[in-house]
């Protein structure tokens, strides 16, 4: 190995500094564990002959080349005078004595001066940090040289300020003392953080132990056992001190930064001697990594987290502060701390990995505390999106040291899946609460105050369907920002909870509004919620491709609700028109239009209701009501409530035709799909209104052709209403009807369209009505 950089140009007073602290003199050379810039490290013994100005310090014990009285003989005074007045100690620390001509081995100093000396000797204190007076002293001690050389030195100093260099991997361990300090003295040095001196003496003590162990073999005397115990205690103290310095390196950089270089060298040396007896059994490097992790843990734990009662957004705020603290800490490691370690330590990478692990543990603790959906989402978003983004691990100031493959958090197995599942469960709970609240708002705003719903684009409407859709959409869009898997789960969770809403809503509507029936307001409510749930179903159709089964289940529930509401409207309409339909085809009906006018006004009102209903359900509802009115209106002809006499059949037929036209027009306006019903009134009125009964048989074909279920008994009832209940023409008409039925057969209309099939017909109990014409013809006069 090459020689260390010659330091003869530097002043002896600057190279070796002596101070008097607590009554004893102690001197320090430039740090022997930190080679000069640009030098290659070597063992001290190899360079002893080449460096006249940097000989290793002689042993503190009396030996060849040592003073007659060891300077360590009076080391006890350091501990005996520890309790001296603090002001005197502080004064001595603040005014260090420059190097005198005392023996090089006499080196005891105060804690603060030791640190300052080590930092200066290792060139870890920047030019800006050095006091102007110290800088001036340093410049004065430098030997005079050419002006050009001074300029070069200034250039080098500026360059050193701009760029940092990693600590060299190789180092030179100084020659160990011949006689180590006492256990108490070494312990005190460790306590005062004079780590280089403490470690050298500890290594010397360990060497003594190894030599004695070799001489004694297996029969170890009590003194050797005691020395091993002392070694373990001292190494334990040193390990504890080293870990404390590393742990607090980022929290107290001004205090600990200068100690990191000797710490690194101690770790390197102990790792090299790991197989030798007398040391600690476990790895120093692993202890260093643990200390880094503990420091990171302290940093993470120090990030403020408010109580939920104080701030509902506390977790988002906390995670924002945590991200900022991580970036600032790693920036400091990158710019400052990592230069205090050799490359093999991979200091920056170790800090990054520690953050991955510690933050992962911290997030697990947070997850156990949070229950709100917004907090769970903030946690997921921070883990999946923000942690790896340019805000934290992808921050420009941390590149290129952190690659894309080293930005992931170190999370427990299945933690992310559990967090997503917890979030989805919370989405369901919040969705149910939101839906129940919507029902409460409807009651508070409308039902309780009997308020009429608002019209929107000529349709009765309530905006809650939009509120539900917005809620679902918001959850889906937010989850999509996390990942596609969570989006799928959230859609499923929303639809599963939404599936139960129609039945719960209908139950509350019926419980709170049934007293309004049959008022017009009740009808408005029914139509309003038919429209609302129709719109809600259309909103949910956009998730059909993602969750077909859940959308289909929701579709079925909405259909059930709409059918229920429509059935309620239909039943109410039937109840409203029932008394007026029952009085059709009676004596009063023939002479007064009051009942029909009531029927017509309610049918017209029904048309108005249909115009306020969404198109998909108008036709179905109108068609049902259309069928009911036709069936009941025509059905009155079959009940034999009245029989037209004295040629009143013509006025009755005209009235039927006139009323029929009005009803047909209304149901056509409602877009009823039952056009096939429109001709029955005309066909029957033609039969009834024939002036000459012999002409009736010529007008049977339309009704037989259009209505296959029109039977003989229905024809008998129509003829009875006309006043034709028996006689030859009656029989001829029935005979003609039978012939037409046989003739047309399958040529008649659609047999699935049933109008007369189950229509009630009042049976004529007259025993002579069904006798053959030949038996009665001689009794009946011609008419």
């Amino acid at each position: 190995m090459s020689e260390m950089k010659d330091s003869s140009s530097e002043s002896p007073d600057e190279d070796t500094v002596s101070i008097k602290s607590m009554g004893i003199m102690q001197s320090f050379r430039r740090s022997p564990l930190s080679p000069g810039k640009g030098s290659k490290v070597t063992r001290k013994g190899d360079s002893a002959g080449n460096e006249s100005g940097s000989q290793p310090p002689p042993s503190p014990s009396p030996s060849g080349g040592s003073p007659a009285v060891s300077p360590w003989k009076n080391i006890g005074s350091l501990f005996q005078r520890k309790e001296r007045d603090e002001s005197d100690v502080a004064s001595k620390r603040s005014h260090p004595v420059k190097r005198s001509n005392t023996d090089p081995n006499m080196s005891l100093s105060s804690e603060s001066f030791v640190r300052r000396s080590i930092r200066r000797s290792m060139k870890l204190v920047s030019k800006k940090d050095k006091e102007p007076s110290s800088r001036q002293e340093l410049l004065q001690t430098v030997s005079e040289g050419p002006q050009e050389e001074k300029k070069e030195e200034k250039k080098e100093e500026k360059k050193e300020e701009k760029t940092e260099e990693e600590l060299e991997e190789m180092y030179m361990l100084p020659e160990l003392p011949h006689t180590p300090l006492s256990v108490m003295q070494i312990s005190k040095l460790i306590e005062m953080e004079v780590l280089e001196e403490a470690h050298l003496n500890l290594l010397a003590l360990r060497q003594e132990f190894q030599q004695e162990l070799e001489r004694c073999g297996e029969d170890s005397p009590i003194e050797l056992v005691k020395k091993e115990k002392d070694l373990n205690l001292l190494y334990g103290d040193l390990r504890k001190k080293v870990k404390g310095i590393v742990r607090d390196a980022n929290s107290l950089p001004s205090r600990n930064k200068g100690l990191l270089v000797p710490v690194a060298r101690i770790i390197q040396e102990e790792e090299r001697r790991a197989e030798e007896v007398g040391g600690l059994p476990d790895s120093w490097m692993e202890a260093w990594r643990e200390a880094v992790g503990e420091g990171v843990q302290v940093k993470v734990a120090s990030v403020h987290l408010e109580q939920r009662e104080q701030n509902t957004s506390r977790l988002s705020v906390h995670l924002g502060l945590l991200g900022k603290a991580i970036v600032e800490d790693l920036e400091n490691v990158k710019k400052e701390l990592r230069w205090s370690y050799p490359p093999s330590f991979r200091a920056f990478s170790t800090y990054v990995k520690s953050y991955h692990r510690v933050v992962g543990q911290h997030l697990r603790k947070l997850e156990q505390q949070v229950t709100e959906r917004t907090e769970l989402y903030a946690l997921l978003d921070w883990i999946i999106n923000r942690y790896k983004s340019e805000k934290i691990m992808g921050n420009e100031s941390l590149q290129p040291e952190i690659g894309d493959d080293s930005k992931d958090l170190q999370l427990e197995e299945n933690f992310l899946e559990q967090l997503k599942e917890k979030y989805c469960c919370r989405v369901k709970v919040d969705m149910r609460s939101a839906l129940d609240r919507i029902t409460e708002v409807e009651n508070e705003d409308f039902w309780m105050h009997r308020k009429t719903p608002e019209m929107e684009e000529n349709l009765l409407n309530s905006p809650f369907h939009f509120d539900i859709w917005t809620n679902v959409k918001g959850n889906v869009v937010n989850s999509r920002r996390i990942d596609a898997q969570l989006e799928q789960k959230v859609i499923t969770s929303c639809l599963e909870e939404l599936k139960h809403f129609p039945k719960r809503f209908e139950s509350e509507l019926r419980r709170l509004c049934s007293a309004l029936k049959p008022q017009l307001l009740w009808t408005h409510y029914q139509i309003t919620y038919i429209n609302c749930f129709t719109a809600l179903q259309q909103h949910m159709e956009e998730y059909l491709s993602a969750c077909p089964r859940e959308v289909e289940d929701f579709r079925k529930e909405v259909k059930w609700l709409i059918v229920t509401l429509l059935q309620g409207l239909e039943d109410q309409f039937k109840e409203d028109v029932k008394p007026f339909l029952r009085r059709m085809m009676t004596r009063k009906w023939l002479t007064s239009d009051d009942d029909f006018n009531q029927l017509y006004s309610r049918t017209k009102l029904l048309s108005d209701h249909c115009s306020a209903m969404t198109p998909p359900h108008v036709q179905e509802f109108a068609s049902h009501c259309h069928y009911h009115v036709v069936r009941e209106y025509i059905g009155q002809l079959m009940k034999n409530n009245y029989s037209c006499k004295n040629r009143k059949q013509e006025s009755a037929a005209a009235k039927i035709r006139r009323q029929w036209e009005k009803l047909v027009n209304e149901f056509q306006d409602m877009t009823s799909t039952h056009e096939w019903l429109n001709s029955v009134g005309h066909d029957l009125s033609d039969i009834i209104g024939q002036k000459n009964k012999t002409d009736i048989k010529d007008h049977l074909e339309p009704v037989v052709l259009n209505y296959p279920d029109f039977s003989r008994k229905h024809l008998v009832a129509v003829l009875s209403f006309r006043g034709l209940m028996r006689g030859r023409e009656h029989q001829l008409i029935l005979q003609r009807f039978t012939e037409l039925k046989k003739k047309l057969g399958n040529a008649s209309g659609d047999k699935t369209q049933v109008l007369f099939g189950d229509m009630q017909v009042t049976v004529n109990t007259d025993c002579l009505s069904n006798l053959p014409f030949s038996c009665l013809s001689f009794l009946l006069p011609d008419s």
Side-chain angles (χ1 to χ4, degrees):
M1 297 183 184
S2 63
E3 299 176 351
M4 291 185 62
K5 183 177 180 181
D6 188 7
S7 60
S8 61
S9 62
E10 298 185 9
S11 170
D13 289 342
E14 182 65 20
D15 184 42
T16 306
V17 183
S18 299
I19 63 170
K20 180 183 291 185
S21 176
M22 293 175 281
I24 193 149
M25 299 294 295
Q26 184 176 13
S27 62
F28 289 92
R29 288 185 178 276
R30 187 179 296 276
S31 172
L33 296 182
S34 178
K37 183 178 179 182
S39 65
K40 291 185 178 179
V41 290
T42 178
R43 296 289 295 184
K44 184 74 175 179
D46 296 338
S47 58
N50 298 329
E51 297 187 19
S52 59
S54 59
Q55 295 293 327
S59 170
S61 60
S63 59
S66 301
V69 179
S70 169
W72 292 110
K73 182 176 180 181
N74 296 324
I75 192 71
S77 63
L78 171 68
F79 309 105
Q80 293 169 1
R81 301 169 69 176
K82 172 72 175 175
E83 298 177 358
R84 180 166 295 193
D85 185 78
E86 290 183 3
S87 63
D88 184 45
V89 173
S91 174
K92 290 179 181 180
R93 288 182 177 178
S94 60
H95 301 286
V97 182
K98 289 192 175 182
R99 164 117 173 107
S100 66
N101 293 326
T102 54
D103 186 83
N105 278 332
M106 298 188 65
S107 55
L108 285 177
S109 71
S110 69
E111 180 179 357
S112 63
F113 187 81
V114 167
R115 292 177 186 165
R116 197 180 310 155
S117 301
I118 293 173
R119 290 193 189 101
R120 188 171 64 237
S121 66
M122 294 177 182
K123 297 182 181 179
L124 287 177
V125 181
S126 67
K127 304 296 179 183
K128 289 183 284 187
D129 296 336
K130 293 182 180 179
E131 297 177 0
S133 59
S134 301
R135 177 182 175 87
Q136 188 65 29
E137 290 176 9
L138 179 62
L139 292 174
Q140 289 174 356
T141 59
V142 178
S143 59
E144 303 230 353
Q147 192 69 21
E148 294 180 1
E149 187 176 336
K150 291 182 178 179
K151 291 181 180 179
E152 288 296 325
E153 286 183 4
K154 289 182 180 180
K155 288 181 180 178
E156 287 294 325
E157 287 176 358
K158 291 181 179 180
K159 186 176 180 182
E160 186 177 342
E161 286 179 6
K162 293 180 180 178
T163 61
E164 296 276 4
E165 290 185 3
E166 285 186 328
L167 187 64
E168 291 187 14
E169 191 68 42
M170 299 181 68
Y171 65 97
M172 181 182 67
L173 182 68
E175 188 174 346
L176 302 182
H178 295 285
T179 302
L181 297 176
S182 68
V183 172
M184 185 179 295
Q185 290 169 340
I186 297 173
S187 178
K188 194 65 179 178
L189 289 174
I190 293 172
E191 181 184 339
M192 294 172 63
E193 298 180 352
V194 187
L195 300 183
E196 291 171 294
E197 295 292 332
H199 186 234
L200 288 175
N201 281 276
L202 190 54
L203 289 176
L205 186 64
R206 181 176 176 182
Q207 191 177 61
E208 277 188 359
F209 170 75
Q210 292 169 352
Q211 292 170 354
E212 292 177 15
L213 185 64
E214 288 179 3
R215 287 196 300 269
C216 297
E218 296 181 359
D219 300 328
S220 302
I222 295 176
E223 289 298 325
L224 197 59
V225 173
K226 184 180 177 183
K227 184 170 288 189
E228 183 180 16
K229 184 177 180 181
D230 290 340
L231 276 172
N232 287 335
L233 290 173
L234 289 173
Y235 264 118
D237 290 345
L238 182 61
R239 170 76 66 83
K240 186 176 179 182
K241 179 62 70 175
V242 164
K243 289 186 69 174
I245 292 169
V246 173
R247 183 184 61 245
D248 299 338
N250 238 3
S251 301
L252 303 169
S254 60
R255 173 182 178 273
N256 288 332
K257 181 182 174 184
L259 297 172
L260 290 180
V261 173
V263 161
R265 296 309 188 197
I266 289 171
I267 293 171
Q268 282 182 292
E269 185 63 24
E270 289 301 323
E271 284 291 297
R272 190 180 67 81
R273 297 171 179 259
E275 301 299 325
E276 299 179 10
V277 295
L280 295 179
D282 49 344
S283 169
W284 280 76
M285 278 299 295
E286 190 58 39
W288 173 74
R289 294 188 189 97
E290 290 176 4
V292 169
E294 290 169 5
V296 169
Q297 204 160 10
V298 170
K299 179 70 72 174
V300 170
S302 68
V303 178
H304 181 61
L305 175 61
E306 293 181 292
Q307 296 296 323
R308 183 179 289 108
E309 295 78 13
Q310 298 173 340
N311 187 354
T312 55
S313 303
R314 65 185 193 119
L315 188 64
S316 296
V317 173
H318 172 73
L319 293 173
L321 293 174
L322 178 60
K324 184 179 179 182
I326 292 171
V327 173
E328 290 176 353
D329 204 36
L330 290 178
E331 281 177 347
N332 188 47
V333 173
K334 180 181 176 181
K335 295 175 182 177
E336 301 287 343
L337 293 188
R338 71 166 174 167
W339 308 116
S340 300
Y341 294 103
S344 60
F345 277 62
R346 296 174 57 84
F348 186 74
S349 175
T350 301
Y351 271 90
V352 170
K353 289 178 181 177
S354 295
Y355 266 110
H356 290 340
R357 177 177 53 81
V358 171
V359 171
Q361 295 170 351
H362 181 65
L363 294 175
R364 165 57 86 178
K365 292 178 182 177
L366 289 178
E367 180 270 331
Q368 294 169 354
Q369 300 174 23
V370 300
T371 55
E372 297 300 320
R373 176 177 55 85
T374 52
E375 291 183 335
L376 291 167
Y377 178 81
L379 208 54
L380 280 167
D381 183 56
W382 196 85
I383 292 171
I384 294 176
N385 293 329
R386 296 186 181 274
Y387 187 74
K388 294 187 288 186
S389 72
E390 66 280 356
K391 295 183 180 295
I392 305 177
M393 285 300 171
N395 194 288
E396 186 178 355
S397 63
L398 304 180
Q399 307 309 313
E401 283 76 7
I402 300 181
D404 293 336
D405 57 343
S406 57
K407 295 179 183 177
D408 292 329
L409 279 164
Q410 186 177 332
L411 301 171
E412 293 181 14
E413 187 178 359
N414 298 325
F415 170 70
L416 206 52
E417 288 302 315
Q418 292 169 6
L419 186 58
K420 289 179 181 179
E421 192 63 33
K422 186 175 180 180
Y423 175 74
C424 290
C425 290
R426 190 68 219 185
V427 166
K428 287 186 71 173
V429 171
D430 287 359
M431 178 60 67
R432 182 181 180 110
S433 299
L435 295 174
D436 289 343
R437 180 59 188 153
I438 281 172
T439 306
E440 292 173 6
V441 169
E442 285 297 298
N443 181 40
E444 293 167 4
D445 292 351
F446 293 97
W447 307 342
M448 188 183 295
H449 303 292
R450 301 301 189 251
K451 182 180 176 182
T452 302
E454 298 175 358
M455 295 288 289
E456 183 178 322
E457 297 181 357
N458 297 323
L459 298 175
L460 284 168
N461 197 16
S462 178
F464 77 74
H465 68 90
F466 188 77
D467 297 334
I468 296 173
W469 177 70
T470 303
N471 191 327
V472 174
K473 189 76 172 177
N475 285 327
V476 173
V477 170
N478 287 337
S479 62
R480 187 181 301 150
R481 296 193 186 106
I482 305 299
D483 59 32
Q485 180 193 32
L486 184 63
E487 179 187 6
Q488 177 84 14
K489 287 184 176 181
V490 166
I491 295 173
T492 301
S493 298
C494 291
L495 289 173
E496 284 178 351
E497 189 55 47
L498 202 56
K499 178 177 67 175
H500 304 292
F501 179 57
K503 279 190 172 66
R504 294 205 308 272
F505 185 86
E506 189 275 336
S507 176
E508 287 298 294
L509 178 64
R510 181 164 27 87
R511 183 176 70 85
L512 297 171
C513 297
S514 58
L516 295 174
K517 193 176 180 179
Q519 298 177 32
L520 181 61
L521 184 59
W522 180 86
T523 302
H524 285 166
Y525 285 157
Q526 303 293 100
I527 296 172
T528 297
Y529 300 125
I530 289 170
N531 294 343
C532 282
F533 277 90
T534 300
L536 182 58
Q537 179 184 328
Q538 291 171 349
H539 290 318
M540 295 303 111
E541 290 295 323
E542 68 178 280
Y543 304 118
L544 182 61
S545 59
C547 301
R549 183 175 63 83
E550 286 77 13
V551 171
E552 182 59 32
D553 290 343
F554 177 66
R555 189 186 291 162
K556 290 177 182 178
E557 293 301 317
V558 170
K559 183 178 181 181
W560 171 87
L561 174 63
I562 291 174
V563 167
T564 301
L565 297 178
L566 285 172
Q567 189 63 50
L569 288 174
E570 186 178 335
D571 291 343
Q572 184 59 47
F573 174 73
K574 290 177 182 179
E575 194 67 26
D576 288 345
V577 298
K578 183 178 180 179
F580 311 111
L581 282 170
R582 289 177 63 181
R583 290 195 284 268
M584 295 296 101
M585 315 307 165
T586 61
R587 186 185 302 275
K588 181 183 177 183
W589 164 79
L590 191 60
T591 57
S592 173
D593 288 334
D594 292 343
D595 290 322
F596 178 78
N597 289 339
Q598 290 291 334
L599 171 64
Y600 180 71
S601 66
R602 279 159 174 74
T603 305
K604 191 168 182 58
L605 183 60
L606 179 70
S607 179
D608 294 338
H609 293 160
C610 287
S611 66
M613 192 184 299
T614 52
H617 307 292
V618 171
Q619 284 188 325
E620 182 182 1
F621 176 62
S623 299
H624 286 178
C625 295
H626 184 191
Y627 180 84
H628 175 74
V629 169
V630 168
R631 187 173 179 277
E632 291 300 314
Y633 185 90
I634 299 300
Q636 301 309 309
L637 291 172
M638 309 299 160
K639 294 183 178 179
N640 200 21
N641 293 328
Y642 179 71
S643 180
C644 299
K645 296 178 180 178
N646 300 323
R647 297 190 179 275
K648 292 179 182 178
Q649 73 273 8
E650 292 181 20
S651 59
K655 194 164 195 175
I656 290 173
R657 193 176 293 111
R658 188 170 59 253
Q659 292 178 349
W660 191 257
E661 283 295 329
K662 295 181 73 173
L663 291 174
V664 166
N665 290 336
E666 284 301 322
F667 283 112
Q668 282 180 337
D669 290 343
M670 290 184 239
T671 66
S672 167
T673 58
H674 290 344
E675 296 90 350
W676 60 279
L677 295 173
N678 294 342
S679 64
V680 66
H682 299 294
D683 295 343
L684 296 181
S685 63
D686 282 348
I687 294 173
I688 295 168
Q690 292 302 313
K691 188 178 294 187
N692 190 345
K693 58 185 175 183
T694 58
D695 295 334
I696 292 176
K697 56 181 178 293
D698 297 329
H699 292 82
L700 296 176
E701 186 171 344
V703 70
V704 173
L705 187 62
N706 294 328
Y707 303 96
D709 59 335
F710 186 77
S711 64
R712 188 174 184 276
K713 66 180 180 180
H714 297 112
L715 179 59
V716 169
V718 172
L719 293 175
S720 177
F721 176 79
R722 184 194 179 279
L724 183 60
M725 292 176 282
R726 58 183 63 85
R728 179 184 177 194
E729 288 301 325
H730 183 275
Q731 292 299 319
L732 290 175
I733 292 170
L734 294 178
Q735 185 178 349
R736 175 60 179 166
F737 176 79
T738 303
E739 290 173 358
L740 284 172
K741 293 287 281 185
K742 291 179 180 180
K743 176 183 176 182
L744 296 176
N746 295 330
S748 56
D750 189 350
K751 292 181 172 55
T752 61
Q753 297 173 343
V754 178
L755 175 62
F756 295 95
D758 58 348
M759 192 178 291
Q760 183 182 358
V761 177
T762 302
V763 179
N764 190 347
T765 56
D766 189 347
C767 61
L768 300 177
S769 63
N770 292 325
L771 288 175
F773 171 74
S774 58
C775 298
L776 299 173
S777 59
F778 67 92
L779 298 174
L780 297 174
D782 294 332
S783 60

